[in-house]
Amino acid sequence: MFQMNLIKNLKVSYEIVLSNDKKLLCHTMGGKTVIFDTETWEKVIELKKPNNPSHLRFSQNDEMLYIKNTVGTFCVYDTKEFQLIKTIKSGKSFQIVEGNFALLENPFTVLDVLKINEKKQICTLNIETGNYQILTELEGTHIEFNQFIPYDNSYLFTLSYLEGVKGYLRYNLIKVVDPLVKPSYSIVENLGITNWVLVCYVPVHQVYIFVHQDYELTIMDAELKTVLKKSNLTENGVQSTDEYFVHLAASYDGSYIVLTSSNRVFILGFEDLTPIQIEELEYACFAEFSKDDTYFLVGTWSKGFVLENNLKELNFNTSLFN
């Protein structure tokens, strides 16, 4: 697979995450989160709370593991004995919306999307106290956290909304800064590109990559003012199917872009956005390089894979990345 060495076969894997020190690997299944020791690849523990886990985060010091599920629950575990130390659920005053989240510097504090008075807003939420602060005043059908942007110390969200009589889905980027100090947000408008379905910031190159449903990719500068490059995968030999794109990520060194669709995983060279590896994987949902590019992590609705990243050693032309 991907001409890489297989290290570990996993079962259902909606998301796969390594601890910052690379000693632990977690993956989410339908009813539990499973933890492995990466030195032995032996299973450490299965965490059954919360049920239907979706997203994982290790604290910066790896002392805590945060797990969010699909129906509005956070659980926090210590990573020594994996004791459950905090839980918070949706209540009458707010509902925790399904989707990714960010950890903030304050203990037990996350940046997430809450539904309050029937409207979705970006908020800080203290899992220990249940206190929250609304940071935005947005109108939209969906808000999704993408990633932290070191370029301007902001947190990037995508806002989708229906426009026009026929209800066309449109997208905007939302940036939140200083959520714990002096919170503010901005809506990034007039991008000069058509609708996209996925976006990813690549820190090494300080650019944004947008993926459009018609197989087009757009690279924009860090200020989101200039289109630097456009490319279409169908012009590079990729056959269009009825697939839909679900995940986008870049390698740590910025050499590769990983695009996951509902039935394929594409590894693209950054410089020209041409496919280097394409693997057909039914019900694919997740593919990323680990933070130092040691591993390539792939998840589907039926299985998962931990692979050794040896792309630089393969025979295809990598001169563009050197």
Side-chain angles (χ1 to χ4, degrees):
M1 179 178 291
F2 299 99
Q3 300 184 49
M4 299 182 190
N5 300 322
L6 177 64
I7 295 176
K8 184 69 177 178
N9 270 316
L10 304 172
K11 295 182 180 179
V12 176
S13 299
Y14 301 128
E15 185 177 66
I16 308 172
V17 174
L18 275 169
S19 59
N20 297 296
D21 61 12
K22 297 187 295 182
K23 293 182 178 180
L24 297 172
L25 179 139
C26 309
H27 74 107
T28 56
M29 302 179 67
K32 57 190 175 183
T33 301
V34 184
I35 319 292
F36 289 91
D37 182 328
T38 59
E39 291 186 3
T40 64
W41 292 106
E42 296 293 326
K43 186 185 300 182
V44 176
I45 194 171
E46 294 182 353
L47 305 174
K48 295 185 178 180
K49 292 182 179 181
N51 191 26
N52 300 313
S54 59
H55 294 283
L56 309 168
R57 287 286 183 273
F58 282 93
S59 61
Q60 190 62 40
N61 58 12
D62 288 324
E63 292 181 355
M64 292 185 289
L65 173 64
Y66 292 70
I67 306 174
K68 181 183 178 182
N69 75 355
T70 60
V71 292
T73 299
F74 273 101
C75 288
V76 184
Y77 289 85
D78 76 79
T79 55
K80 291 183 179 179
E81 302 296 332
F82 285 99
Q83 296 296 312
L84 179 61
I85 53 179
K86 299 292 177 186
T87 299
I88 191 170
K89 299 181 179 180
S90 296
K92 292 182 179 180
S93 60
F94 66 86
Q95 291 179 294
I96 300 170
V97 176
E98 180 180 0
N100 207 349
F101 67 97
L103 288 183
L104 301 180
E105 293 182 0
N106 284 13
F108 303 110
T109 305
V110 299
L111 184 67
D112 204 355
V113 179
L114 303 182
K115 189 175 183 180
I116 301 166
N117 296 327
E118 299 304 315
K119 289 189 176 182
K120 297 174 184 177
Q121 301 295 342
I122 302 170
C123 305
T124 59
L125 173 65
N126 188 297
I127 294 174
E128 186 174 32
T129 64
N131 295 332
Y132 63 88
Q133 181 181 7
I134 302 172
L135 306 183
T136 57
E137 296 180 0
L138 301 172
E139 297 285 345
T141 58
H142 186 68
I143 309 170
E144 178 78 19
F145 172 65
N146 293 302
Q147 66 189 110
F148 174 70
I149 309 297
Y151 166 75
D152 53 8
N153 292 312
S154 66
Y155 296 83
L156 186 71
F157 291 78
T158 296
L159 169 71
S160 59
Y161 59 96
L162 297 176
E163 182 179 76
V165 177
K166 295 184 179 180
Y168 293 111
L169 197 60
R170 300 298 186 191
Y171 297 87
N172 271 337
L173 292 180
I174 308 296
K175 285 192 171 187
V176 175
V177 298
D178 293 331
L180 292 177
V181 184
K182 190 179 180 181
S184 64
Y185 73 97
S186 60
I187 300 176
V188 184
E189 298 179 306
N190 302 319
L191 287 175
I193 60 175
T194 57
N195 258 11
W196 66 89
V197 291
L198 296 171
V199 60
C200 172
Y201 178 77
V202 186
V204 174
H205 303 293
Q206 294 191 355
V207 297
Y208 290 85
I209 295 183
F210 295 83
V211 175
H212 311 265
Q213 194 60 53
D214 61 357
Y215 293 87
E216 186 170 85
L217 289 87
T218 301
I219 297 181
M220 296 194 70
D221 69 327
E223 296 182 351
L224 291 165
K225 299 293 185 182
T226 305
V227 173
L228 303 176
K229 184 178 181 63
K230 285 190 176 185
S231 178
N232 196 296
L233 295 180
T234 59
E235 296 174 357
N236 292 311
V238 173
Q239 297 297 313
S240 61
T241 71
D242 59 354
E243 66 196 320
Y244 52 92
F245 298 115
V246 295
H247 195 69
L248 177 67
S251 61
Y252 181 79
D253 66 2
S255 294
Y256 309 109
I257 303 301
V258 186
L259 176 59
T260 304
S261 81
S262 52
N263 55 38
R264 289 189 284 188
V265 174
F266 305 81
I267 300 179
L268 314 174
F270 171 79
E271 293 291 343
D272 56 6
L273 298 179
T274 57
I276 290 173
Q277 300 276 350
I278 302 175
E279 192 80 27
E280 292 189 9
L281 280 172
E282 190 176 24
Y283 304 127
C285 57
F286 178 88
E288 285 188 2
F289 290 93
S290 60
K291 290 183 178 179
D292 62 353
D293 291 333
T294 300
Y295 303 111
F296 188 53
L297 312 170
V298 181
T300 78
W301 292 358
S302 60
K303 52 193 171 182
F305 308 92
V306 180
L307 302 161
E308 180 186 8
N309 174 22
N310 60 347
L311 286 182
K312 297 290 179 135
E313 301 169 10
L314 299 180
N315 293 326
F316 54 74
N317 180 16
T318 58
S319 61
L320 289 172
F321 313 132
N322 296 331

